[in-house]
Amino acid sequence: MPSLLRRRIDRIGRRALDRVFQQAKRLPFVGDRIAAEYDKMLVEIRRGAKPYADTLPRTTELPQSGRDRDAVLADMRQLAARERDRWHDGFVSGAVYHGDDGHTAFLSQVYAAFSQTNPLHADLWPSVVKYEAEIIAMTADMLGAAHVTGKGIWSGPVAGVVSSGGTESIMLAMKTYRDWARAERGITKPQVIAPSTAHVAFDKAAQSFGLALERIPVGPDFRADVAATRRAIGRNTICLVGSAPAFPHGTIDPITELSELARERKIGFHTDACLGGFVLPFARELGAPVPAFDFSLPGVTSISADTHKYGYAAKGTSVVLYRSAALRRYQFFTATDWPGGMYLSPTFAGSRPGALSAACWAALVSMGKDGYLEATRKILATATTIREGIAAIPGCKVLGDPLWVIAFATEGLDVYRVLDEMTKRHWNLNGLHLPPAVHLCVTLRHTEPGVAERFLADLREAVEHVQATPGDKGGMAPIYGLAGTLPVRSAIGDIMRAYLDVLYEA
Ligand SMILES: Cc1ncc(COP(=O)(O)O)c(C=O)c1O
């Protein structure tokens, strides 16, 4: 049976199972049993998510008179300091990409100077408007904008916006393709095709904007399957997607081939370079094997690149670029008939934090090309040490051929128990599934002396411990295992939504 058909049948089967489960939940006896099971799990989840519940006072209504600023600051600094060591000392995968004290203090100074600004009021703060335009220009220049010549929807000049993060950049691009396809192709049932490993933000976009997202399983090398993608393209396909690299295994999809497919069909192609946008151009310059992924490829029509990751800006900015300003037009929102006046905004937000854009601009120009080259050199060198170290641990296997986001699986033992053991040793790594694996996204924090060695020593110890205690269960391992294998996906979804509720309990 063709794999596309099999996937559709699987999907229909899963949805049917989910429907049965959701209906069963409404039956009095079954529903109560399921709710009791969820509650049991939530006790454990609450304990982990709310470490301050028993030790810090809770503020659930406004204090009658405002507290003294120095006292507020002292309390808040204490809490920030408590949480600092783990990320600052390099125990965390991704999350904080620079984190040097001097760099952070510099960004905070810029933030303080611009904290009241809002690019929605372009007339009040032309400074932040200028910074945003230049962030976009610098990012476009780095990602091959000079290759794009001519005029027309697919032919330049490259244009973009600053968004709040990778997810927003991706969602903006998907909304743009939807509106372009509706206006210019009359497509009312738009479909997007993405490899299974492309970021989950594409699912969020699909759910939000009524897109049918066709996920294509990746090949044994964890890269997109070009032939299967070609077969999946239909009349309603509005764009294809590839990652450079993808979050789970750090592998770069065959963007040249995928974007050519899109070009042949005259549809969009989005390169998700949220992780790689500010690494790959410099890695290539340093001689690393970096395949083409940017606007130098004629079929690439949009790119997301996160300044708040390896651009080393503060959290809250990303750039989405389009091959032409004409394409970007489909992203913009304007309203002419609102009693509040003429309204226009480029992204999903209305008011936006100009201070974050100012700090982003400051990060880019203070790093400079030399700064990014040096940062990338350090990250690649550390990643090589870590990758080779993992491969040398008996029972561990690196997945794919990554540059700096390194996923590994274990042979003959539960990788989630290894993850638990690493957590006990203070590490905060990412658990993956389908297939079960763990990854470390190497950042500048891991390039500090001794961090890579400590990671490898801890991993070796963790693996040996799991090998020596095969029967042990407990921790998060069973939950991870269940999440990967349970056929009723909506039950996992229920628990995740309940977890989000827990996070908002004051
Ligand atoms: C490849 C990729 N795309 C998109 C995103 C989403 O970025 P954000 O968390 O900033 O929304 C991530 C986040 O890690 C990513 O790795």
Side-chain angles (χ1 to χ4, degrees):
M1 193 191 302
S3 60
L4 197 63
L5 186 61
R6 200 171 47 234
R7 273 204 312 282
R8 293 216 166 119
I9 292 172
D10 281 354
R11 203 159 49 211
I12 292 165
R14 265 202 321 270
R15 282 197 190 134
L17 212 57
D18 278 338
R19 259 198 306 276
V20 171
F21 178 73
Q22 292 302 333
Q23 274 161 9
K25 263 187 359 189
R26 292 192 198 109
L27 301 173
F29 179 70
V30 183
D32 291 350
R33 290 288 297 272
I34 292 173
E37 281 306 309
Y38 285 172
D39 283 347
K40 257 195 263 167
M41 281 190 199
L42 282 179
V43 172
E44 209 37 52
I45 288 173
R46 198 171 274 117
R47 216 194 315 274
K50 297 281 164 177
Y52 305 126
D54 301 328
T55 52
L56 291 182
R58 298 180 316 134
T59 311
T60 57
E61 61 178 279
L62 284 171
Q64 187 58 46
S65 49
R67 287 182 60 200
D68 174 66
R69 284 181 184 151
D70 288 339
V72 172
L73 204 52
D75 280 358
M76 294 179 82
R77 282 200 171 127
Q78 207 180 17
L79 214 49
R82 225 197 255 196
E83 293 170 355
R84 179 177 182 274
D85 285 356
R86 198 165 185 205
W87 63 260
H88 191 264
D89 295 350
F91 281 100
V92 176
S93 171
V96 177
Y97 294 80
H98 195 301
D100 268 5
D101 293 343
H103 183 74
T104 310
F106 167 64
L107 298 186
S108 302
Q109 278 178 316
V110 178
Y111 187 96
F114 286 86
S115 73
Q116 300 306 301
T117 67
N118 176 0
L120 188 67
H121 301 286
D123 50 343
L124 290 182
W125 291 289
S127 54
V128 290
V129 173
K130 168 183 156 65
Y131 291 141
E132 290 202 337
E134 292 180 7
I135 291 166
I136 294 154
M138 287 187 273
T139 310
D141 176 66
M142 193 181 69
L143 296 175
H147 293 267
V148 186
T149 51
K151 272 199 158 151
I153 195 98
W154 302 137
S155 52
V158 169
V161 302
V162 175
S163 78
S164 63
T167 299
E168 189 183 1
S169 286
I170 288 168
M171 292 181 77
L172 286 167
M174 295 303 105
K175 176 230 171 288
T176 297
Y177 287 121
R178 182 197 65 176
D179 291 356
W180 158 76
R182 190 191 287 151
E184 298 197 18
R185 298 275 167 88
I187 295 177
T188 53
K189 290 187 175 157
Q191 180 211 38
V192 172
I193 302 175
S196 53
T197 49
H199 197 269
V200 71
F202 291 97
D203 292 274
K204 208 181 219 182
Q207 283 183 26
S208 306
F209 307 134
L211 310 170
L213 178 64
E214 183 72 40
R215 289 278 194 174
I216 308 287
V218 290
D221 57 358
F222 296 93
R223 298 164 76 232
D225 181 335
V226 179
T229 305
R230 178 187 286 114
R231 285 195 297 275
I233 299 175
R235 341 189 233 109
N236 289 325
T237 309
I238 59 169
C239 82
L240 310 181
V241 170
S243 309
F247 172 85
H249 316 104
T251 42
I252 301 173
D253 286 323
I255 307 284
T256 303
E257 294 83 347
L258 291 173
S259 63
E260 267 311 292
L261 284 183
R263 196 160 75 105
E264 281 164 20
R265 308 297 280 255
K266 297 192 170 50
I267 55 175
F269 183 87
H270 184 83
T271 299
D272 178 13
C274 282
L275 265 182
F278 283 82
V279 176
L280 294 175
F282 304 104
R284 179 184 291 137
E285 214 171 314
L286 291 165
V290 175
F293 70 98
D294 62 14
F295 289 120
S296 59
L297 296 170
V300 170
T301 54
S302 58
I303 304 179
S304 45
D306 284 358
T307 38
H308 73 184
K309 293 192 174 78
Y310 293 96
Y312 306 123
K315 269 289 168 277
T317 62
S318 165
V319 173
V320 57
L321 298 171
Y322 297 98
R323 204 166 180 91
S324 71
L327 185 56
R328 182 179 59 179
R329 282 276 176 95
Y330 287 102
Q331 183 189 294
F332 293 160
F333 174 81
T334 57
T336 50
D337 302 323
W338 180 46
M342 297 294 171
Y343 188 96
L344 61 159
S345 77
T347 62
F348 295 131
S351 292
R352 292 188 295 121
L356 288 182
S357 293
C360 174
W361 184 88
L364 264 54
V365 298
S366 69
M367 289 290 298
K369 287 182 182 163
D370 289 346
Y372 286 112
L373 266 178
E374 180 54 14
T376 305
R377 189 192 61 70
K378 285 194 208 165
I379 286 171
L380 293 183
T382 302
T384 303
T385 305
I386 290 178
R387 179 183 164 161
E388 288 172 357
I390 294 173
I393 297 175
C396 280
K397 184 177 80 175
V398 172
L399 303 182
D401 185 17
L403 281 172
W404 76 97
V405 182
I406 304 161
F408 59 93
T410 45
E411 280 156 345
L413 64 154
D414 183 348
V415 74
Y416 300 131
R417 283 201 56 219
V418 174
L419 177 61
D420 274 344
E421 287 302 316
M422 289 300 276
T423 307
K424 283 183 200 157
R425 287 161 181 78
H426 222 54
W427 288 91
N428 185 289
L429 307 177
N430 299 89
L432 314 174
H433 64 181
L434 312 165
V438 170
H439 93 196
L440 174 72
C441 174
V442 176
T443 70
L444 281 175
R445 302 318 310 147
H446 306 113
T447 67
E448 293 292 313
V451 176
E453 291 71 20
R454 189 180 63 208
F455 172 80
L456 291 170
D458 284 348
L459 182 61
R460 187 175 282 274
E461 215 180 88
V463 168
E464 283 168 2
H465 177 85
V466 176
Q467 280 163 341
T469 55
D472 268 14
K473 281 281 169 217
M476 289 300 285
I479 294 178
Y480 267 111
L482 192 70
T485 53
L486 199 72
V488 187
R489 311 303 297 161
S490 67
I492 302 290
D494 283 346
I495 296 165
M496 294 198 294
R497 276 184 287 274
Y499 169 76
L500 289 176
D501 283 337
V502 167
L503 292 187
Y504 284 101
E505 287 170 1

